[in-house]
Amino acid sequence: MNQSNSASLPEQDLLNTILCDLKRTVGEYTTATTESACPTVRQMFTHLTNDTLRLQGEVFQLMQQQNQYVVPSKALREELDKQIQQSQKTQQQSRQFVQQTLDGVGQFQPMAQQQPNSQNSNYM
Protein backbone atom coordinates (compact mmCIF):
# COMPACT_ATOMS: atom_id res chain seq x y z
CA MET A 1 0.00 0.00 0.00
CA ASN A 2 1.39 3.37 -0.97
CA GLN A 3 1.62 5.70 2.06
CA SER A 4 2.87 8.71 0.10
CA ASN A 5 -0.63 10.15 -0.55
CA SER A 6 -1.59 10.25 3.13
CA ALA A 7 1.86 11.52 4.10
CA SER A 8 1.52 14.48 1.75
CA LEU A 9 -1.19 16.06 3.91
CA PRO A 10 -0.26 17.25 7.38
CA GLU A 11 -1.96 15.45 10.26
CA GLN A 12 -3.98 18.54 11.15
CA ASP A 13 -5.41 18.74 7.62
CA LEU A 14 -6.32 15.05 7.68
CA LEU A 15 -8.02 15.36 11.06
CA ASN A 16 -9.85 18.49 9.95
CA THR A 17 -11.07 16.70 6.82
CA ILE A 18 -12.27 13.76 8.92
CA LEU A 19 -13.97 16.10 11.39
CA CYS A 20 -15.78 17.95 8.60
CA ASP A 21 -16.84 14.68 7.00
CA LEU A 22 -18.20 13.40 10.32
CA LYS A 23 -20.20 16.61 10.77
CA ARG A 24 -21.65 16.23 7.27
CA THR A 25 -22.44 12.58 7.88
CA VAL A 26 -24.31 13.42 11.09
CA GLY A 27 -26.46 15.83 9.12
CA GLU A 28 -27.18 13.21 6.46
CA TYR A 29 -28.05 10.57 9.07
CA THR A 30 -30.29 13.04 10.89
CA THR A 31 -32.15 13.78 7.67
CA ALA A 32 -32.50 10.06 6.96
CA THR A 33 -33.80 9.51 10.50
CA THR A 34 -36.45 12.18 10.22
CA GLU A 35 -37.58 10.94 6.82
CA SER A 36 -37.77 7.25 7.76
CA ALA A 37 -41.27 5.83 7.95
CA CYS A 38 -40.11 2.37 9.04
CA PRO A 39 -39.35 2.18 12.79
CA THR A 40 -36.50 -0.28 12.21
CA VAL A 41 -34.83 1.96 9.64
CA ARG A 42 -35.40 5.00 11.85
CA GLN A 43 -33.77 3.22 14.79
CA MET A 44 -30.82 2.17 12.61
CA PHE A 45 -30.21 5.77 11.50
CA THR A 46 -30.61 6.98 15.08
CA HIS A 47 -27.87 4.57 16.19
CA LEU A 48 -25.66 5.59 13.26
CA THR A 49 -26.19 9.26 14.15
CA ASN A 50 -25.27 8.67 17.79
CA ASP A 51 -22.18 6.62 16.90
CA THR A 52 -21.03 9.25 14.43
CA LEU A 53 -21.60 12.04 16.98
CA ARG A 54 -19.51 10.08 19.49
CA LEU A 55 -16.70 9.62 16.96
CA GLN A 56 -16.88 13.28 15.93
CA GLY A 57 -16.53 14.25 19.60
CA GLU A 58 -13.48 12.02 19.99
CA VAL A 59 -11.78 13.51 16.91
CA PHE A 60 -12.62 17.01 18.14
CA GLN A 61 -11.14 16.30 21.58
CA LEU A 62 -8.00 14.85 20.03
CA MET A 63 -7.55 17.92 17.85
CA GLN A 64 -8.24 20.25 20.76
CA GLN A 65 -5.70 18.45 22.98
CA GLN A 66 -3.09 18.83 20.24
CA ASN A 67 -3.98 22.53 19.78
CA GLN A 68 -5.13 21.77 16.23
CA TYR A 69 -8.63 23.15 16.70
CA VAL A 70 -9.34 26.62 17.98
CA VAL A 71 -12.50 26.69 20.05
CA PRO A 72 -14.82 29.58 19.19
CA SER A 73 -15.32 32.23 21.84
CA LYS A 74 -17.86 31.42 24.49
CA ALA A 75 -21.43 32.50 23.90
CA LEU A 76 -23.15 34.76 26.37
CA ARG A 77 -25.49 32.91 28.71
CA GLU A 78 -28.29 35.30 27.82
CA GLU A 79 -27.94 34.47 24.13
CA LEU A 80 -28.01 30.75 24.85
CA ASP A 81 -31.09 31.12 27.05
CA LYS A 82 -32.78 33.19 24.32
CA GLN A 83 -32.04 30.52 21.70
CA ILE A 84 -33.26 27.74 24.00
CA GLN A 85 -36.50 29.61 24.71
CA GLN A 86 -37.05 30.25 21.01
CA SER A 87 -36.43 26.59 20.19
CA GLN A 88 -38.82 25.47 22.92
CA LYS A 89 -41.46 27.90 21.64
CA THR A 90 -41.06 26.63 18.07
CA GLN A 91 -41.23 23.04 19.26
CA GLN A 92 -44.43 23.73 21.22
CA GLN A 93 -46.00 25.49 18.23
CA SER A 94 -45.07 22.54 16.03
CA ARG A 95 -46.66 20.10 18.47
CA GLN A 96 -49.84 22.18 18.60
CA PHE A 97 -49.97 22.38 14.81
CA VAL A 98 -49.50 18.63 14.43
CA GLN A 99 -52.14 17.91 17.08
CA GLN A 100 -54.62 20.33 15.49
CA THR A 101 -53.94 18.84 12.08
CA LEU A 102 -54.41 15.31 13.37
CA ASP A 103 -57.59 16.32 15.18
CA GLY A 104 -58.85 18.01 12.03
CA VAL A 105 -58.15 15.03 9.76
CA GLY A 106 -61.15 13.17 11.11
CA GLN A 107 -63.38 16.20 10.49
CA PHE A 108 -62.31 16.77 6.89
CA GLN A 109 -62.33 13.21 5.60
CA PRO A 110 -66.12 12.79 5.52
CA MET A 111 -66.51 16.04 3.58
CA ALA A 112 -63.94 14.93 1.02
CA GLN A 113 -65.71 11.60 0.66
CA GLN A 114 -69.10 13.28 0.21
CA GLN A 115 -67.89 15.76 -2.42
CA PRO A 116 -64.98 14.18 -4.32
CA ASN A 117 -65.33 16.45 -7.39
CA SER A 118 -65.97 19.76 -5.61
CA GLN A 119 -63.53 22.66 -5.88
CA ASN A 120 -62.60 23.46 -2.28
CA SER A 121 -60.42 26.54 -1.82
CA ASN A 122 -58.76 24.91 1.23
CA TYR A 123 -57.10 22.26 -0.92
CA MET A 124 -54.65 22.86 -3.69
Side-chain angles (χ1 to χ4, degrees):
M1 183 179 222
N2 187 354
Q3 295 283 334
S4 64
N5 286 340
S6 64
S8 65
L9 279 177
E11 181 180 313
Q12 183 175 355
D13 290 341
L14 286 172
L15 288 172
N16 192 46
T17 300
I18 292 168
L19 187 67
C20 289
D21 193 45
L22 289 169
K23 289 178 186 179
R24 181 195 54 78
T25 302
V26 165
E28 297 294 332
Y29 286 157
T30 301
T31 298
T33 302
T34 60
E35 293 182 0
S36 297
C38 173
T40 303
V41 172
R42 186 178 181 91
Q43 184 178 24
M44 177 195 65
F45 279 118
T46 299
H47 288 302
L48 286 169
T49 301
N50 290 336
D51 289 344
T52 306
L53 281 169
R54 181 190 46 75
L55 183 57
Q56 183 274 335
E58 291 173 7
V59 171
F60 168 77
Q61 286 180 345
L62 173 69
M63 291 179 72
Q64 192 176 26
Q65 289 169 357
Q66 296 178 356
N67 294 323
Q68 295 178 344
Y69 192 98
V70 179
V71 179
S73 62
K74 293 184 177 184
L76 297 174
R77 185 66 199 179
E78 297 84 28
E79 286 298 316
L80 290 174
D81 290 341
K82 182 179 174 182
Q83 289 297 322
I84 290 169
Q85 288 175 355
Q86 183 60 40
S87 295
Q88 290 171 338
K89 180 180 176 183
T90 301
Q91 188 178 34
Q92 181 62 32
Q93 289 172 338
S94 297
R95 282 189 184 127
Q96 288 174 347
F97 174 77
V98 169
Q99 188 59 49
Q100 289 171 353
T101 303
L102 291 175
D103 289 346
V105 168
Q107 297 170 6
F108 292 117
Q109 284 181 344
M111 288 176 58
Q113 290 172 355
Q114 291 172 1
Q115 301 171 351
N117 293 328
S118 68
Q119 295 284 337
N120 190 336
S121 62
N122 292 331
Y123 299 103
M124 294 190 164

